[in-house]
Amino acid sequence: MPQAPDAKAAAAPVMSEEKPAPKPLKSTLNLPQTAFPMKASLPTNEPLRLAAWEKDGLYDQIRRASAGRPRYILHDGPPYANGAIHLGHALNKTLKDFVVKTRTMAGFDAPYVPGWDCHGLPIEIKVDEQLGRKKLEMDPVAVRKACREYAQKYLDLQREQFIRMGVFGRWQKPYSTMDAEYEARIAETFFHFFENGFVYKGLKPVSWCIHDRTALAEAEVEYEQHKSPSVYVRYKLTSDPATIDPALAGKPVYTVIWTTTPWTLPASLAVAFHPEMEYVAINDRAGAGDLDQLEPAVYIVAKELREKVELACQLEDSDEIPLATFPGSRLEGTTFAHPFLDRVVVGTNATYVTADQGTGAVHTAPAHGVDDFATGKRYSLPEVQYVDDAGRQMHTERFGGSTAQPYEGLSVWKSNPVIIELLKEKGALLAASEFEHSYPHCWRCHNPVIVRATEQWFIGMDTPMTAPDGTASTFRDRALAEITRVKWDPAWGQERITNMVATRPDWCISRQRIWGVPIAVFLCSKCGEPLKDAAINKRVVELFMKESADAWYIHAPEQILPAGTACACGHTDFRKEMDILDVWFESGASSHAVLDVDADTQQAAGDTDQRADLYAEGGDQHRGWFMSSLLCGIGMHNRAPYKMVATYGWTLDEQGRALSKSLGNFIDPNLVMDSLGGDIVRLWVASVDFREDVVASMPLLKRLAEEIYRKQRNTFRFLLGALREIDPAMGEERAFNPRPLTDGGDSVPFEQMQPIDQYILARAAELTKKIRAAYDAMEFHRVYHLLNEFLNSELSAFYLDVLKDRLYTYPVKFKAGNEYQRELYIARRSAQTAIYKITDALARLTAPILSFTADEVWQHIPGKSGSVHLQQFPTSEDLAPQSAYTAQLGADFEVLLQLRDSTLQSLEMFRANKNIGKSLEAVIVLNVGSSSPSRNLVERYVLALPELFNVSGVELVGIDEAHTAIETNRVSSDPKCDRCWRHVPDVGSDARYPSVCHRCVQALDAIDFPPYAATV
Ligand SMILES: [Zn+2]
Ligand SMILES: [Zn+2]
Ligand SMILES: [Zn+2]
C-alpha cells in the first residue's frame, strides 16, 4: 500500500475545516480493524511460531494429511557437517523447501528427509589438529569417536539453523552417513560392485597430497598458479645411431627432454616420441662442454620445435639443413643412458606427444604420470615407485641402496635443486630456469599435489555389464544411456555430465585415512588376494549394522570370519584392508542407504519407476554427487537414481565476486535471520533465478526487508482489516463470515457481486493459474514478480484504493423492506467477499515462500484455524468461474482502466491548477460520442464509474463523434456530505441526518444512529 488508508480516512474528518459534523458521525465509518501488526518483528516472532509448529507436530500433521496422495520425492544431497551454515546452504535448503512445500500444496505427498555427510578428510584433519600429539597414542576407534563427536556437533548446529529458516522436514530423524545403518549400507553398496566384478586393486598413478598423505579424486584437485623449475636435459643414445639414420653413424647422439618436475627424473624409464611426427638431428657447434669428444654433439628434437630448443639451450647450429630428418617411429626401440643413474632408458612411441611445447621427446616416469603409466604398461617397463607417502625420495632404500644419491630422503620439492645440481655435474643439463604455470593443488590444504603410483582400489568404468534390455554394455555406456533418461535443469547440465562420464578415468574409491567406511575386504596374508565371498560380506554388513563400521577396527579377522575360511591358495591367515572409501562413494550410496530402505523417501510401492523425482544441488555437483549417485545407482539397480536434476549457481556479491570473510562481503544467514528475519532470507531466494549465479549483499537484503516485504505486509494488513468491523449496535468487533448470505453469512455469490469485484477476482484467478504454473516449473523468481505486481499494481494502486468509499461508508446492515439499503449492504459485502477470497488465495500461494508471514496472515483471516501449511493451493475456479462472462469482464475493464488512467491524469492537472483540493470535489466530464466503440461499455458501467475514478460524479456528454475523451472537468456545485465527503445533490434530503447524503442516510438509519440537528 502506498499509504495507510485507514490512517488517512480516520484522520481526515477531524482535520476538516468546514463546519464539523457532530463528532460521533466518524464512529460510523467502518474502518479496517485487525490485530495483524504493521511491524513484523520477524526476528522475535518467527522463533515463537517455530516453537508452536514444533509443539503441534506440524510436519507430522502434513505427512498424515498427505497420505495416499501421489508421491513426490526430493532426495536431499547431504551437506558436510563441519561448520555453521553459509548463504550457499541457505539457498540450497530454501530452494528445496520451496519445492517440497509447493508440491505438497499442489496435492502431492512430498516428504523431506534431510541428510548429512559426516565422514571424510576435513573433519579428520580438524580432529587431528585438536588432538595434536595425543593422536599418536590413540587407537583408531578413539580417533573415530572424536571425529564422530565433531561431526555430530555440527550436524546439530546446522539442523538448528535450517529449522530456523522455516524449512520443513523430518528433522528429528535425518539420515547421516555416520549412522551405523548408513555405514552398513555403504559397505553393502561396495560389496555389490565388488561381487559383480567392477572392483580391482592396482598400482596406478593418482593425484597425491603429500601434506594430507592421501590420494585425491579428480574432484578434489584444483588448479592454481605454481612456480616450477624448467629444465632441458640430454639423454645419451647408447644404441647404434645408424639404425635411426645412416648419417648419424659413429656420432655422439643425444635426445633432449624438457621437464618441470626434475624430481621425477630418478623414476625416468623411457623417452616417448610421436611415431608420425618428424624429428631432426642437429649439430651443436658450441660443443656443450663435451671434453671427452672431438666431434660436436648431435641432438634429436622435433622438427617443429628445433628453433625453440636451440634458443632455450643456446645451441649453436650453423647448418640450415639438419644432419638427418626422420619420423619418430624410427626411435622406437632405441636405448639411452639415464643422465645420472646406471640405467637403460628406452625409446618408445606415444601418440599423446605434441609439438606444443618442450622438445618432442618426452621423459617418461610411469610412476608419475597417467600417460607415462600407460606407456609403461604397453612397453612392460618395471613398476617402480621411489616416492613415499610423505613425498620423500626413497630411491636407495627401495632400490637396494648401493650408492646413496644426494637427494635421498628429501621431499620431492627439496630434491629439485639437488637433482638439477647433479645434472649439471654429470654434464646432462642444457638449460634451467623457472616456470610459472597452472598446477594442480589439493582442494583441502591448497598445497601442490604430485602424481604418484600407489596401490588403490578402483571401480572400472569399462566393466562389461548387461543393459536392462539384455544387450551387452559397459558400466560407462550404461551411465551415458541413463543420463539421457533424466531431465536436466538447466539443460546444459546434461552435456556437462555426459562429457565427464565419457572421459573420466576409472573411479579410484580408496583413501588412506581413518574417518570413513573401510573397504571391508580380507586379504590373504600369503598371496595378497582378496576374499570374494558373498556370505562373508553379508556378515560384515550385519556387523556394521549392529556395531557401526568401528567394528572393522575392533575385531580381528578371525573374530569375523567363519572358522576354516581359506584363500584359493590354501592359506588361512588373513589381514584386513585398512583403506577407507572415497566420501563421494558414501554420499553416492545414499540412493541405496536412504532411497532403497527408508519408506519416507520412496515412491509408492506399485510405482514401476522408483527413481527419486528430484536431486537439486549446486552446479559443481555434476562431477561430485550427481556423478557418484548415478554410478552407485547403476551399480545397485542398473538405473540412475533420479528423474530430474536441478542445479543452482554460485552466490556472488554485486561486483560478481564470491562471498568471503576476507573480502568483507560475507553474509552469515544466521545474522540475517536474527536481524531481518527468516522470511527475508526466503524472499531473497525467491527473488533470484537460481539457475544463474545469484547476487546477495547486505544492502540488497535490507532493501528487500524495508521495501518489498514491508509493502507486501501492509497490503495483507489492509486486506485483513477489511474483513473485520466494529458492530455499531453492539460496539463489538465482528468478523466477516465466509458463509453465503442465504446461510446467515456475509458472502455474496459471484453472479451478484459488483462488476469491479468480479473483475478483481478474475484477475486473482489468472494470477493463481500463473503462479501455480511457475511453481510447477520451479520458477520461483516468476512467482516473486507476479506476486509483487499483483499486490502493488492491481490491489494497492487500484482495487483497494477505489474500494475505500464502499468499505468505509456503506451500511453494515439493512432493515427489512428497505431495498436501497439492502442493495448498498450487499455491495459492501460483495467487496468483502472478493477480499476474503483473495486473502485466502494469497496466503496459500505465498506460504511456500513467506512461510512465517503467510501462516500469520492465515491465522488472522476470519474463520481459519490451524496452519496454512496444511492447506492446498487454490485453483483459479475457487476465485472466479472461467466463463465467457468473466472473459468479457476482462475485456471491458481493459478499456475502463485505460479510461481511469487518463482520468487520473486529468484530475492531477485539475488539482495542479488549484481548481480542486481532493478528487471528490470534481466531476469528470466524459465525452463519449454516440458512435464511439466505448459508448455502450461506458453506459453499461456508468454507475460504477465514480467509484472507479474516485470522484463525486461522472457526467456523460454525447457529442456525435466516434471518439472517447475527457473534456474539461468541472468543480462540483453540489454540497459535500459530511460522512463520505462526496459532493452530491441529495445531501440533507433526510431531516434526521441533515449533513449527509442519501446513501449515508442508509448507513445511519440501518444502525439507528441518533438523529442530530443541522448545525452545532
Ligand atoms: Zn592436501
Ligand atoms: Zn592366498
Ligand atoms: Zn455520504
Side-chain angles (χ1 to χ4, degrees), residues 765-969:
E766 193 64 26
L767 175 81
T768 299
K769 207 189 288 174
K770 282 183 185 161
I771 286 186
R772 291 196 57 167
Y775 273 143
D776 285 347
M778 298 198 298
E779 289 180 337
F780 307 114
H781 60 295
R782 288 229 326 127
V783 176
Y784 171 87
H785 291 296
L786 284 167
L787 190 70
N788 284 334
E789 199 180 302
F790 185 76
L791 291 178
N792 297 335
S793 308
E794 310 221 29
L795 288 186
S796 191
F798 160 58
Y799 182 65
L800 300 181
D801 192 44
V802 304
L803 217 54
K804 285 170 198 161
D805 182 44
R806 198 156 25 120
L807 280 174
Y808 300 169
T809 71
Y810 280 33
V812 289
K813 45 173 65 177
F814 65 94
K815 287 179 175 167
N818 186 339
E819 201 44 44
Y820 179 46
Q821 204 170 55
R822 183 174 172 272
E823 250 175 52
L824 291 173
Y825 166 80
I826 290 180
R828 183 169 184 277
R829 292 289 180 228
S830 163
Q832 284 184 310
T833 305
I835 287 181
Y836 181 87
K837 284 179 179 255
I838 288 170
T839 314
D840 175 332
L842 287 179
R844 297 168 199 248
L845 290 171
T846 52
I849 294 171
L850 295 172
S851 292
F852 295 98
T853 305
D855 204 43
E856 190 185 356
V857 168
W858 184 257
Q859 285 163 357
H860 283 86
I861 300 176
K864 302 292 190 195
S865 60
S867 171
V868 72
H869 298 292
L870 285 161
Q871 310 302 317
Q872 303 279 286
F873 281 143
T875 64
S876 51
E877 288 285 329
D878 290 341
L879 289 144
Q882 307 281 292
S883 63
Y885 173 77
T886 45
Q888 181 59 47
L889 202 61
D892 289 353
F893 268 84
E894 203 172 309
V895 179
L896 291 172
L897 288 174
Q898 276 169 18
L899 207 53
R900 179 175 188 264
D901 282 345
S902 20
T903 306
L904 294 185
Q905 272 171 33
S906 80
L907 277 173
E908 200 44 60
M909 290 277 287
F910 209 44
R911 195 170 9 236
N913 294 335
K914 308 263 190 248
N915 289 309
I916 52 162
K918 301 198 177 329
S919 61
L920 281 174
E921 291 163 28
V923 172
I924 296 286
V925 182
L926 205 54
N927 175 15
V928 190
S930 58
S931 57
S932 154
S934 309
R935 179 77 196 189
N936 169 276
L937 174 74
V938 170
E939 277 174 353
R940 273 191 289 132
Y941 287 94
V942 74
L943 291 178
L945 294 183
E947 179 178 57
L948 200 57
F949 302 159
N950 195 24
V951 292
S952 287
V954 173
E955 195 175 293
L956 280 191
V957 291
I959 302 166
D960 197 15
E961 279 176 30
H963 81 281
T964 307
I966 317 266
E967 295 298 303
T968 312
N969 300 317

Side-chain angles (χ1 to χ4, degrees), residues 121 125 209-212 216 442-447 449:
L121 200 57
I125 288 172
C209 175
I210 62 181
H211 175 265
D212 296 322
L216 294 173
C442 172
W443 76 333
R444 310 268 194 217
C445 68
H446 294 281
N447 284 302
V449 303

